[in-house]
Amino acid sequence: MLAIYLNVVVQGVLTGLLYGLMALGLSAIFGVVRVVNFAHGEFAVVAMYAAFVLFRVYGIDPMWAMLPIAVAFFVIGYALQHTVIDAFVGRPDHEQFILLVGLAIVITNGLLLVFGPDAQPANLPYAFDSVMVGPLIIDEVRVYAAVAALAVCAALFAFFRFTRTGTAIRACADNLVGAAVVGLNVRRLYALTFGLGLACVGAAGALMITIADAVPSLGPAYTLLAFTIVIVGGLGSMTGALVGGLLIGVSEALAGFLVAPSMKSMFSFALLIAVLVLRPQGLLGKKPA
Amino acid sequence: MKALWGEMNGRGRVVLAVAVLLLLLAPTVATRYLVSVLTLIFYFVYVGQAWNLMMGYAGQLSLGHALYVGVGGYVSAALWVHFGIGPWLGVFPAVLLAASFGAAIGWLGFRFGIEGVYFALLTIAFAEFTRIGFDHIDVVGGAGGLFIPYEEARLGEWWNLRGGQLFFYYLAFGLAAIAVLVTALLARSRLGYQWRAVREDEAAARALGIDAFRAKMKAILISSAMTAVGGVFYAFYYNSLFPAQMFEMSRSIELILGPIVGGLGTVFGPVIGAFLLTPLGEILIGVTEALGINAPGAKAVFFGLTLMVIIYLVPTGVWPWLSKTLGLTGRRS
């Protein structure tokens, strides 16, 4: 009996890492640019379709397709921030919200136009392979996807921690005026950050196709999921996003197993409400000054 | 009425009076289709105005107003279907329950200092939580939906909201008119000024002795109660309710677009917004059909693009710009 629970938890952890990577992008964008990307999940779905097409048409494995997709998303994010969103930085929440919701509507329905409303499975050849670890039976593809997600996270952490540009971006997040005073090109750093955030979600989406079918209507659901994770973990805290992803992944897996799969996100929202009430800054967030 | 008149100068009053008269007479000449579009517009004026009170005046961003529409609609419809209790009575428990939800969200949010984006997410979380919950409540049909049966014999029982198209047209018009009046009154009331003070600078408002918590609670209570009445209308107008359709986040978004596009924190912004956006949606359907690209999604793509363009060009909304250009408010030079 314990083995079943363990299996469920492990599966939740592996899925949670993908969620975490997706949420990491959202967290980075909000933490630095202070714009809430309400089209985040929609971008993840675009990446899913990109990986789907690359695999179906060119036979490129999503684990590899992840890299060009992440690069393409970086370019899209950089351009988007530079051309449109930059004008909205510092404007009221609801204005940013309408802009990005408009974008989300365009993306979701654009996908609907191109790919139709039906779910598109990638049908990877190794989708049903599994490994046995003691009493655990683990899907191989989830392991690969989780490892890849961890690798991307590690790369991002290293970038923010050890490079000059990464440090500069953190300076913008910490003290915008100070950053501008010492001569940082804030506008460029914002565009870079938005690009990096989208690269995260691009990579996460590409990996997501290995465990979920691509459907246009997934977009809003993923946006909400990413928000839930980021709030639970702490907006602006990158470790928090990962921890939140794991928590939500495990809670979804357990709720799906113990109660009903259709009610699993209810538990995520309950968790979100509880965290907002008890610790509004999130589990790992800093208290707002 | 005086509060409403006070919003406008002479020219504005003439335009308003003519517009109201035209709308009252419209069904005599308009086609059934046009009447149904106008009914929808009035509905969006009404719920948009309810949301505008909370966001536009008190500055509290709610992205979960579909919750109150859904609760209002479901309670009144369930009472009617299961117990034969008519909507004029059913509206009271419906409003009560929706306002309790509002009170719970408001209390949690305002008491614990959850603000801005965080508060918006709290409202979304509650709406989504309720949506999934309703999927699993069998009394109201679960995910399969709740239907108000169509009974020929009851047609014309206006006291049970079983009227024809004209009945709903004037009902929606009445609701919209009341909402505009209420907003105009509240905007000029003590509470309205407290709301604006809290919206602009809560710390400063508190320093002036305004009980910000109370003011914000009143905003969410009034707003959620008003929105629930809109839900009752919706339920009896469309006669079918699905959790996915009532509580979904896209419904909350749909409801707030009008006020934002029209102009937040203004009496006529939500009106203008609804009169712009609802026909826009209808026109887009027509245009995509005429161009032969009427695939699912085509209309929504244009809709999303339009939203982005509007918020990019006139971020404070169309009404402030329009009223200034046409000289409808303020002193004329």
Side-chain angles (χ1 to χ4, degrees):
Chain A
M1 196 57 200
L2 187 70
I4 300 177
Y5 281 102
L6 258 174
N7 261 319
V8 172
V9 170
V10 168
Q11 190 181 335
V13 167
L14 294 176
T15 315
L17 279 170
L18 285 193
Y19 289 171
L21 177 60
M22 182 169 76
L24 193 62
L26 185 70
S27 185
I29 293 172
F30 182 80
V32 178
V33 190
R34 296 275 144 196
V35 165
V36 179
N37 183 12
F38 269 98
H40 204 71
E42 282 77 2
F43 278 112
V45 179
V46 171
M48 284 176 85
Y49 273 106
F52 167 78
V53 169
L54 284 177
F55 179 69
R56 278 298 185 80
V57 180
Y58 303 102
I60 303 172
D61 192 286
M63 305 293 167
W64 292 115
M66 171 186 107
L67 295 171
I69 291 175
V71 171
F73 269 57
F74 173 82
V75 174
I76 295 172
Y78 191 100
L80 198 65
Q81 170 70 27
H82 203 72
T83 51
V84 183
I85 301 177
D86 201 60
F88 283 78
V89 171
R91 298 237 299 242
D93 288 341
H94 69 267
E95 290 177 20
Q96 303 174 350
F97 168 75
I98 291 292
L99 180 78
L100 286 156
V101 160
L103 183 62
I105 294 175
V106 171
I107 292 177
T108 300
N109 292 285
L111 289 174
L112 194 64
L113 269 178
V114 178
F115 294 99
D118 298 328
Q120 310 274 12
N123 293 333
L124 292 172
Y126 52 88
F128 295 104
D129 295 354
S130 53
V131 282
M132 303 271 285
V133 184
L136 299 176
I137 307 162
I138 305 169
D139 299 339
E140 263 178 39
V141 11
R142 281 180 201 270
V143 177
Y144 297 149
V147 169
L150 264 182
V152 176
C153 291
L156 198 71
F157 276 105
F159 170 77
F160 278 120
R161 191 97 204 98
F162 299 117
T163 65
R164 276 184 73 84
T165 317
T167 314
I169 289 176
R170 281 191 293 135
C172 289
D174 274 354
N175 188 338
L176 188 55
V177 177
V181 164
V182 298
L184 294 179
N185 185 346
V186 173
R187 220 177 145 225
R188 196 182 129 255
L189 291 173
Y190 275 7
L192 265 177
T193 309
F194 209 94
L196 284 175
L198 280 203
C200 277
V201 79
L207 294 174
M208 209 79 90
I209 192 73
T210 61
I211 59 167
D213 301 347
V215 196
S217 59
L218 262 183
Y222 276 166
T223 299
L224 277 178
L225 183 74
F227 273 114
T228 312
I229 291 168
V230 165
I231 300 280
V232 167
L235 254 179
S237 154
M238 294 184 38
T239 344
L242 272 185
V243 173
L246 289 181
L247 257 177
I248 295 291
V250 172
S251 99
E252 271 197 355
L254 278 177
F257 176 67
L258 293 173
V259 192
S262 60
M263 286 174 90
K264 64 180 185 185
S265 46
M266 213 171 161
F267 288 84
S268 310
F269 290 120
L271 194 66
L272 170 65
I273 293 170
V275 166
L276 276 174
V277 169
L278 299 175
R279 204 178 150 79
Q281 74 271 33
L283 296 176
L284 296 183
K286 285 183 227 99
K287 252 218 159 1
Chain B
M1 281 312 274
K2 222 177 121 195
L4 200 57
W5 261 174
E7 284 285 320
M8 303 210 148
N9 59 27
R11 192 194 295 183
R13 287 171 197 176
V14 173
V15 172
L16 179 64
V18 170
V20 168
L21 201 67
L22 282 179
L23 287 175
L24 281 175
L25 295 175
T28 55
V29 285
T31 59
R32 282 184 66 83
Y33 168 68
L34 198 58
V35 170
S36 75
V37 172
L38 282 169
T39 309
L40 197 61
I41 292 177
F42 297 147
Y43 167 75
F44 278 117
V45 170
Y46 178 80
V47 286
Q49 203 65 272
W51 182 81
N52 182 38
L53 283 176
M54 188 171 151
M55 173 64 201
Y57 287 96
Q60 304 305 310
L61 178 55
S62 160
L63 298 182
H65 258 52
L67 171 64
Y68 313 125
V69 179
V71 167
Y74 260 108
V75 170
S76 60
L79 285 174
W80 171 244
V81 171
H82 291 303
F83 305 105
I85 297 172
W88 294 105
L89 273 178
V91 70
F92 293 102
V95 162
L96 204 67
L97 189 66
S100 325
F101 269 99
I105 294 172
W107 191 81
L108 287 174
F110 305 144
R111 186 54 93 196
F112 293 95
I114 299 168
E115 286 163 358
V117 181
Y118 295 86
F119 180 73
L121 283 164
L122 184 71
T123 60
I124 295 177
F126 261 92
E128 285 292 305
F129 186 84
T130 317
R131 173 177 67 83
I132 304 165
F134 266 78
D135 268 341
H136 296 88
I137 301 178
D138 293 331
V139 194
V140 292
L146 179 67
F147 302 92
I148 299 177
Y150 175 82
E151 293 160 278
E152 197 83 47
R154 285 197 181 273
L155 213 60
E157 287 187 10
W158 58 268
W159 58 93
N160 284 327
L161 292 194
R162 300 286 72 192
Q165 203 191 11
L166 270 187
F167 168 74
F168 278 106
Y169 176 86
Y170 285 109
L171 184 65
F173 180 82
L175 280 175
I178 290 171
V180 172
L181 271 175
V182 166
T183 307
L185 275 174
L186 280 172
R188 303 196 143 214
S189 71
R190 190 183 160 77
L191 184 61
Y193 286 105
Q194 288 185 347
W195 281 345
R196 270 168 283 193
V198 169
R199 178 189 73 187
E200 293 304 324
D201 190 335
E202 192 172 328
R206 290 234 289 271
L208 286 171
I210 295 173
D211 188 341
F213 177 75
R214 261 180 91 96
K216 289 196 279 187
M217 280 305 277
K218 281 180 187 164
I220 197 170
L221 282 174
I222 294 173
S223 184
S224 57
M226 264 177 82
T227 311
V229 177
V232 176
F233 172 85
Y234 186 98
F236 282 81
Y237 183 52
Y238 287 106
N239 295 317
S240 61
L241 302 163
F242 300 93
Q245 187 197 66
M246 298 302 288
F247 295 103
E248 218 186 30
M249 197 183 151
S250 58
R251 302 314 296 257
S252 299
I253 293 174
E254 172 182 272
L255 174 164
I256 73 177
L257 292 178
I260 294 182
V261 167
L264 276 176
T266 63
V267 173
F268 289 101
V271 183
I272 296 294
F275 270 92
L276 280 176
L277 287 182
T278 313
L280 176 74
E282 298 296 324
I283 289 168
L284 283 178
I285 294 177
V287 169
T288 46
E289 260 172 15
L291 292 176
I293 49 168
N294 190 33
K299 171 201 158 196
V301 168
F302 288 111
F303 194 75
L305 282 173
T306 315
L307 275 183
M308 293 173 74
V309 170
I310 291 180
I311 202 71
Y312 196 85
L313 295 179
V314 272
T316 51
V318 173
W319 170 251
W321 167 81
L322 189 74
S323 63
K324 211 172 134 195
T325 315
L326 299 182
L328 301 178
T329 51
R331 209 163 292 158
R332 286 169 62 191
S333 51

